[in-house]
Amino acid sequence: MTHRTELPDLNTLNPEALKALIIAQHDQLLSKDEQLLLKDEQLTSRDEEIERLKLLIAKLRRMEFGRKSEKIDWEIEQLELKLDELEASRAQQAAASPSPMAASAVNRATKRPRMSLPAHLPRETHKILPKQEACPDCGGALKPLGEDISEILERVPEHFKVIRLVRPKLACAGCDKIVQAEAPSRPIERGIAGPGLLAHVLVSKYADHLPLFRQAEIYAREGMELDRSTMAEWVGGCSRLLEPLVEALRRHVMSAAKLHTDDTPVPVLAPGRGKTKTGRLWTYVRDDRPWGDVTPPAVWFAYSPDRKGEHPQAHLSEFRGTLQADAYPGYVEIYRSGRVREAGCMSHVRRPFFELYEAHKSAVAKEALERIAALYAIEEEIHGRSAEERRAVRNERSKPLLESLKKWFEETLVKLSKKSDTTRAIRYALDRWDALTRYSDDGHLEIDNNAAERSLRAVVLGRKNYLFAGSDAGGERAAALYGLIGTAKLNGLNPEAYLREVLSRIADHPINRIEELLPWNLAANSPENSRHEA
């Protein structure tokens, strides 16, 4: 609280004392003005920093290619944390500041259009009546004139509930026969968990990256003690139950004429050693929406205990078509068979040049980036057009740019040291030139393999939280759930609502009609499932 200083009786002061008092008051006012000005400057500086961070985050989110997607994710996370702190500090300081100028500056900085609340959310109406039952002026009766309506977005914490299944027994009055309805099947036989709880546990673990022990802590705060080992049994039971559906997903993916593939390491606990080994998760993405195809997109994951080429060769044993991938040597045998055609990834060409430019501001790297950017600008323009239109535009505009890029690479290469990083970057491109430029003659193909890299982001985020998979079997379970959850997201579905619907049906569903439970086949029949994932 600010204490006021009492002024002395001015009538009793001599001219010198009065002059000294005026000078002191003047100095005090100047000091306050300087403090307020400094606070205003600090707020302005903070506002500028907030806007700079917002622009930087938006730029990172728009980046379609960079050094590594997980590095960009990490940068965004760090910037968003800093942005949260700055905005919270700004609001806190404005609330405590006595300066109207500071408060108004914050109001101007944070002012944004009012959010329209989604129509699908349930509404709860609270009618607030005036305290007066009669006119406060004349005591007359009050009658309706209209009403003002405003809305507040609220969140009700999730809660557990128990569903009691009561099956009455009926006896025949004539012959004493007893009649009773059969008990409904459960996702896990004799299990206490309903499909909604099971779906929540699975999505929390594999989509929201919450290990089971952390989930147990959260549920305990809500008053429900769920043992981690019990939930582990549920995860295993659901995985077994979902195996036919995962196999149907695999068949759908492998029937495509073009696939995107990539892999990422996964630490796996080595039994009996107390240490981890490195397994791999392989992703295979079918997504032809960029050329206007209406076939549902899907992703299938596979786990392997190592990175030997025999694993993708086994995964792709039934596949016939074009494979968009990086330069992993394990794919060579697949291409050699002749049934699979190779398509390269321009993002992998661009990446080392980006790193070189970031590190050294290299003129060669800058020109390479600009030439590749011109190719991507064409791709952005023709995204969503038919395959034939894309092929025609690429033949007319992309091919000359690609030919010019190759010639420039070759001319630049002779001027460089054979052991330089720039030389390695150029040779990477030239050694794979046919695969890299194949997209220019086929409108069904993409310029890069980013579809596969995007599908691995969930794995990378999860790896930061759960640290390692418990076993090879745990890696296989993760692959199965990543595929179903990833496919639900590709089709614009809420993965938890989708899995809840599947788990409520699959125990009684005919195995020869398992495709009916794939995400795109359930979406039309369930409004909640068809709600887009944020």
Side-chain angles (χ1 to χ4, degrees):
M1 181 180 294
T2 303
H3 296 280
R4 293 177 179 272
T5 303
E6 294 293 334
L7 285 174
D9 186 354
L10 301 181
N11 293 323
T12 63
L13 296 180
N14 59 40
E16 292 299 323
L18 186 60
K19 181 180 178 182
L21 178 63
I22 292 173
I23 292 173
Q25 292 291 330
H26 181 260
D27 290 343
Q28 187 176 356
L29 287 173
L30 285 177
S31 175
K32 287 184 177 181
D33 286 344
E34 289 174 355
Q35 290 175 8
L36 290 175
L37 182 60
L38 178 61
K39 285 185 178 181
D40 289 341
E41 289 175 351
Q42 290 174 342
L43 283 172
T44 301
S45 176
R46 184 181 291 126
D47 292 343
E48 291 173 352
E49 176 69 3
I50 287 172
E51 293 306 314
R52 187 187 71 81
L53 285 173
K54 286 180 177 179
L55 287 172
L56 187 54
I57 290 171
K59 181 180 178 180
L60 284 171
R61 291 196 182 282
R62 286 196 302 269
M63 287 179 67
E64 296 180 8
F65 25 73
R67 288 170 290 180
K68 283 190 180 295
S69 60
E70 50 263 45
K71 289 186 178 180
I72 293 178
D73 290 337
W74 183 86
E75 289 176 11
I76 291 174
E77 289 170 3
Q78 298 305 305
L79 290 173
E80 287 184 331
L81 287 172
K82 186 176 180 181
L83 183 59
D84 289 344
E85 290 300 317
L86 283 171
E87 292 186 318
S89 298
R90 178 174 66 180
Q92 182 179 1
Q93 186 169 342
S97 174
S99 167
M101 293 174 60
S104 63
V106 172
N107 290 337
R108 289 194 302 272
T110 58
K111 189 175 181 180
R112 57 179 63 89
R114 180 177 290 274
M115 175 183 173
S116 178
L117 299 180
H120 67 78
L121 294 179
R123 257 63 175 176
E124 181 179 300
T125 301
H126 292 188
K127 186 166 287 190
I128 305 172
L129 297 173
K131 296 179 180 179
Q132 301 89 343
E133 296 182 357
C135 176
D137 290 341
C138 69
L142 299 174
K143 61 181 181 179
L145 178 63
E147 58 186 10
D148 292 330
I149 300 175
S150 59
E151 293 188 330
I152 298 173
L153 181 63
E154 185 58 282
R155 185 178 187 277
V156 180
E158 294 185 22
H159 61 278
F160 290 95
K161 66 179 179 181
V162 177
I163 298 175
R164 301 178 68 231
L165 302 177
V166 180
R167 297 184 295 131
K169 295 181 179 179
L170 305 177
C172 175
C175 66
D176 293 331
K177 179 178 176 62
I178 297 176
V179 178
Q180 186 182 32
E182 291 185 6
S185 60
R186 303 187 183 195
I188 298 176
E189 190 174 357
R190 294 189 297 276
I192 65 168
L197 176 56
L198 293 173
H200 183 73
V201 169
L202 293 175
V203 170
S204 295
K205 178 175 173 62
Y206 294 107
D208 300 330
H209 323 300
L210 284 173
L212 295 180
F213 76 88
R214 290 182 183 163
Q215 292 189 50
E217 294 171 353
I218 294 171
Y219 299 147
R221 292 200 301 267
E222 298 176 14
M224 185 66 218
E225 298 287 344
L226 286 177
D227 188 77
R228 184 198 55 76
S229 60
T230 300
M231 289 190 286
E233 292 175 1
W234 293 350
V235 172
C238 289
S239 297
R240 288 191 296 272
L241 194 62
L242 294 168
E243 283 176 2
L245 185 60
V246 175
E247 172 58 21
L249 179 64
R250 186 196 68 81
R251 291 195 300 268
H252 174 78
V253 170
M254 291 300 161
S255 66
K258 178 206 69 180
L259 286 181
H260 295 267
T261 185
D262 203 351
D263 68 288
T264 192
V266 178
V268 180
L269 194 62
R273 294 170 54 192
K275 298 180 180 179
T276 59
K277 61 179 182 178
T278 301
R280 310 295 295 193
L281 275 173
W282 306 80
T283 182
Y284 299 93
V285 182
R286 175 179 186 170
D287 190 355
D288 292 322
R289 292 174 297 178
W291 57 272
D293 187 64
V294 295
T295 304
V299 55
W300 176 69
F301 281 85
Y303 169 81
S304 66
D306 52 51
R307 207 193 182 203
K308 293 179 181 177
E310 63 192 42
H311 302 301
Q313 291 165 23
H315 302 156
L316 296 163
S317 60
E318 301 173 11
F319 176 65
R320 304 287 187 277
T322 304
L323 188 68
Q324 294 219 240
D326 59 20
Y328 170 57
Y331 299 133
V332 173
E333 192 63 31
I334 300 173
Y335 303 138
R336 190 177 289 128
S337 68
R339 59 183 174 79
V340 177
R341 189 174 60 156
E342 179 185 8
C345 175
M346 193 63 72
S347 280
H348 280 77
V349 174
R350 180 189 184 277
R351 195 162 293 158
F353 290 111
F354 179 83
E355 293 172 346
L356 286 166
Y357 183 72
E358 285 287 289
H360 309 297
K361 303 303 178 191
S362 161
V364 173
K366 181 181 179 182
E367 182 167 351
L369 291 173
E370 290 172 348
R371 287 172 175 269
I372 295 171
L375 294 168
Y376 272 94
I378 296 172
E379 293 305 302
E380 184 177 355
E381 184 180 329
I382 62 177
H383 183 86
R385 297 190 191 179
S386 70
E388 185 55 38
E389 285 182 278
R390 281 155 55 103
R391 187 196 64 79
V393 172
R394 287 167 175 173
N395 271 314
E396 179 184 351
R397 296 168 56 189
S398 300
K399 269 195 170 183
L401 295 180
L402 287 166
E403 291 168 1
S404 174
L405 176 61
K406 183 182 181 183
K407 183 179 179 182
W408 179 77
F409 274 155
E410 292 169 340
E411 292 172 349
T412 304
L413 195 60
V414 299
K415 305 174 185 176
L416 301 172
S417 166
K418 293 182 178 180
K419 295 183 178 180
S420 72
D421 291 334
T422 307
T423 296
R424 281 193 287 272
I426 292 176
R427 287 201 179 281
Y428 177 92
L430 292 177
D431 290 346
R432 297 160 181 81
W433 196 253
D434 288 344
L436 286 169
T437 58
R438 184 154 285 136
Y439 83 97
S440 63
D441 285 318
D442 189 340
H444 301 91
L445 304 184
E446 302 305 314
I447 190 174
D448 57 35
N449 194 36
N450 285 352
E453 294 192 4
R454 284 193 297 269
S455 71
L456 289 174
R457 287 178 184 169
V459 180
V460 173
L461 289 172
R463 192 168 58 208
K464 294 177 182 177
N465 277 10
Y466 58 66
L467 302 181
F468 53 80
S471 64
D472 288 335
E476 292 169 0
R477 284 193 295 271
L481 269 300
Y482 278 134
L484 289 174
I485 290 171
T487 301
K489 289 182 176 181
L490 281 175
N491 287 271
L493 308 186
N494 178 334
E496 185 172 335
Y498 167 66
L499 285 177
R500 181 171 62 242
E501 188 74 15
V502 167
L503 291 170
S504 68
R505 298 187 187 190
I506 194 168
D508 297 322
H509 199 83
I511 191 69
N512 61 344
R513 289 166 37 206
I514 194 67
E515 289 82 3
E516 295 175 0
L517 299 184
L518 289 168
W520 51 90
N521 290 329
L522 278 185
N525 301 322
S526 175
E528 187 175 4
N529 278 343
S530 61
R531 190 176 303 150
H532 279 255
E533 177 75 2

